[in-house]
Amino acid sequence: MTMGIESGHEECGTRCWRALPAVESDDGVPAVESDGRVPAVESDDGVPAAESDGRAPAVEPGDGARFRILFVCTGNICRSPLAERMTRAALGPCPAVQVISAGTQAEPGLEMAEGARRVLARLGGDPAGFGSRPLTPELVAAADLVLTATCEHRARAVDLHLAAAGRVFTIAEFGALAEAVPPAGVPGHPDPALRARALVGQARALRGLVRVARPDIADPYGGSWLAYRAAGRRITRSLAVPLRLLRHPPAS
């Protein structure tokens, strides 16, 4: 089977991949969905099975989420938790959408960096209960949308689970693509999960057609308060349109 590959972004220096077509296993069950998702593996009682190394599933059973967003940075203590908690605050109570974050070099269980916590508080988010987690293939496979701080993080996420390539973007890239989506591209449906899936499909179709001048968000770790504030502002601006489309159905 041949997989289509799009031309690379000049700004990133990395390639972007289109979603893989559906692939069936020997028993006729899709091994990879047409949108790049991996089907859930269930145990006999209908609950997602634990991983082979004994860890809990990436998505807790019974969470009710029908659309899962994963933010990714390096240590999972600055940029990705900022984006995660800002998104949660913006969406409010929304059982249909689950938002988490992880880091490509993260140590488990660390709190957010002090500068990130201060910026988050000013933006109306809450850092309470946060603990960093490493990025794993299971987390990428379970996500319906993966948003990364940089092109390097995007490439790492795709390396971990190639079938997710069509739904992995940098935060800034996804924001620019969302701004270019035509009004009719996202249905005026009350279900935010349905709108989110439509938005990802539209963004995937526009990839390579919209120039993203600054696809990376710089790491503020170890920097001044201004560095953290700059990261927070870029994340806020990049997510403004996607979050508006998730919060409110577009006007018909």
Side-chain angles (χ1 to χ4, degrees):
M1 180 183 66
T2 302
M3 179 180 64
I5 298 179
E6 292 185 350
S7 59
H9 292 306
E10 292 180 0
E11 298 85 354
C12 301
T14 56
R15 295 177 298 174
C16 295
W17 296 263
R18 297 187 188 277
L20 293 172
V23 178
E24 289 194 344
S25 60
D26 293 339
D27 59 3
V29 177
V32 180
E33 304 290 358
S34 59
D35 63 356
R37 291 181 294 112
V38 174
V41 178
E42 294 189 342
S43 60
D44 293 340
D45 60 2
V47 175
E51 307 297 346
S52 58
D53 60 359
R55 289 180 293 112
V59 178
E60 293 297 328
D63 64 4
R66 286 174 289 111
F67 189 87
R68 300 178 176 92
I69 302 172
L70 170 65
F71 288 102
V72 177
C73 68
T74 302
N76 193 213
I77 57 174
C78 296
R79 292 165 291 179
S80 59
L82 260 176
E84 173 200 329
R85 293 306 173 97
M86 287 163 54
T87 298
R88 289 189 184 188
L91 293 178
C94 186
V97 180
Q98 180 197 59
V99 187
I100 63 172
S101 62
T104 57
Q105 300 178 33
E107 297 180 17
L110 299 181
E111 295 182 346
M112 291 179 66
E114 174 61 27
R117 290 201 303 270
R118 289 176 58 195
V119 170
L120 180 62
R122 291 198 174 197
L123 293 171
D126 183 3
F130 177 81
S132 59
R133 61 163 64 87
L135 183 67
T136 65
E138 294 80 15
L139 285 174
V140 178
D144 298 290
L145 173 62
V146 182
L147 296 177
T148 69
T150 69
C151 293
E152 182 179 353
H153 299 131
R154 184 182 65 191
R156 177 57 180 157
V158 172
D159 284 344
L160 289 175
H161 189 69
L162 182 59
R167 59 183 190 271
V168 182
F169 307 82
T170 73
I171 296 171
E173 175 190 21
F174 192 72
L177 294 172
E179 290 179 4
V181 171
V186 177
H189 195 281
D191 183 356
L194 188 151
R195 297 199 302 273
R197 293 187 191 283
L199 179 59
V200 173
Q202 290 288 323
R204 182 165 54 238
L206 289 169
R207 178 177 262 168
L209 302 177
V210 176
R211 185 175 184 273
V212 184
R214 297 168 59 204
D216 291 357
I217 296 175
D219 190 354
Y221 184 71
S224 67
W225 156 251
L226 293 178
Y228 284 96
R229 187 177 67 175
R233 285 180 172 176
R234 285 215 64 204
I235 292 169
T236 300
R237 286 196 295 267
S238 297
L239 294 178
V241 172
L243 289 178
R244 175 170 55 79
L245 291 173
L246 289 185
R247 285 197 308 265
H248 309 293
S252 56

